[in-house]
């Protein structure tokens, strides 16, 4: 609606660049944790802003979890901002965006995996990686744990409503991580 478009805060270029850097680091380069992801399609900053509007116009109307007036994509944890963008992309029903939605979800999955294990997302140091690669347990919740839980919930919901049967099945196991 027009009110949502007017009230939605736009993602700043610095925030977009930070999220894009995570995409390149975690999905476009091989790491000790992950192989290169098959899709390099990432939405533009303008598309991300449109997807945030789609999120609040459609998904938020059914699942009122975030408050439009309180959500700022530039100060929220990058994974929460990304999960809002991913759900907005999914509910946009733009066929060219299906590959993009999959890439966004994969970045969220990888980001959450590293976040709950407290793996720093700065350039990887070889010694840290060896230690962290053997660290399988999750760390205690951090200050941003509510936003991480919201990102996990949004990601699960997106998987559950996916067209892919494989993603729907993975949603059920991913819900277990919320408990």
């Amino acid at each position: 609606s027009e009110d949502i478009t007017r009230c939605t805060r736009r993602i700043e270029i610095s925030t977009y660049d930070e999220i894009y850097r995570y995409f390149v680091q975690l999905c476009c380069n091989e790491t000790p944790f992950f192989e290169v992801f098959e899709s390099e399609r990432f939405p533009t900053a303008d598309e991300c802003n449109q997807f945030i509007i789609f999120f609040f116009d459609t998904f938020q109307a059914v699942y009122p979890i975030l408050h439009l007036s309180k959500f700022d994509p530039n100060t929220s944890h990058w994974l929460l901002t990304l999960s809002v963008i991913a759900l907005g992309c999914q509910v946009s029903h733009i066929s060219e965006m299906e590959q993009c939605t999959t890439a966004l979800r994969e970045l969220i999955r990888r980001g959450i995996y590293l976040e709950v294990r407290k793996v720093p997302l700065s350039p990887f140091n070889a010694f840290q990686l060896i230690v962290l690669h053997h660290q399988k347990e999750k760390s205690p919740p951090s200050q941003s744990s509510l936003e991480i839980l919201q990102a996990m919930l949004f990601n699960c919901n997106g998987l559950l409503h996916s067209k892919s049967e494989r993603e729907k099945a993975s949603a059920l196991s991913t819900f277990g991580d919320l408990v």
Side-chain angles (χ1 to χ4, degrees), residues 87-158:
L87 273 172
C89 184
Q90 182 175 345
V91 300
S92 73
H93 299 295
I94 300 170
S95 60
E96 309 89 66
M97 290 296 123
E98 285 182 31
Q99 191 178 45
C100 194
T101 301
T102 303
L104 294 172
R105 274 205 212 98
E106 182 60 19
L107 176 56
I108 293 166
R109 184 189 72 78
R110 292 174 183 207
I112 288 171
Y113 177 89
L114 296 174
E115 179 71 28
V116 299
R117 287 163 183 79
K118 301 295 181 228
V119 176
L121 289 176
S122 56
F124 295 121
N125 157 327
F127 177 73
Q128 283 179 313
L129 291 176
I130 292 167
V131 172
L132 293 168
H133 187 65
H134 295 321
Q135 179 185 343
K136 300 295 182 197
E137 294 188 23
K138 298 175 186 174
S139 299
S142 66
Q143 272 186 311
S144 60
S145 61
L146 175 60
E147 290 185 343
I148 298 300
L149 286 172
Q150 289 170 321
M152 292 169 74
L153 178 64
F154 291 155
N155 193 45
C156 287
N157 206 303

Side-chain angles (χ1 to χ4, degrees), residues 59-67 154:
F59 182 85
Q60 181 67 13
V62 178
Y63 300 101
I65 297 171
L66 294 178
H67 296 282
F154 291 155

Side-chain angles (χ1 to χ4, degrees), residues 1 4 7-8 51-71 80 83-92 150-151 153-154 157 161:
S1 84
I4 290 173
C7 296
T8 302
F51 296 148
I52 292 170
I53 292 168
F54 285 147
F55 170 87
F56 281 103
D57 200 33
T58 57
F59 182 85
Q60 181 67 13
V62 178
Y63 300 101
I65 297 171
L66 294 178
H67 296 282
L68 176 61
S69 62
K70 303 274 186 214
F71 178 72
L80 178 58
S83 66
V84 166
I85 291 167
L87 273 172
C89 184
Q90 182 175 345
V91 300
S92 73
Q150 289 170 321
L153 178 64
F154 291 155
N157 206 303
H161 290 75

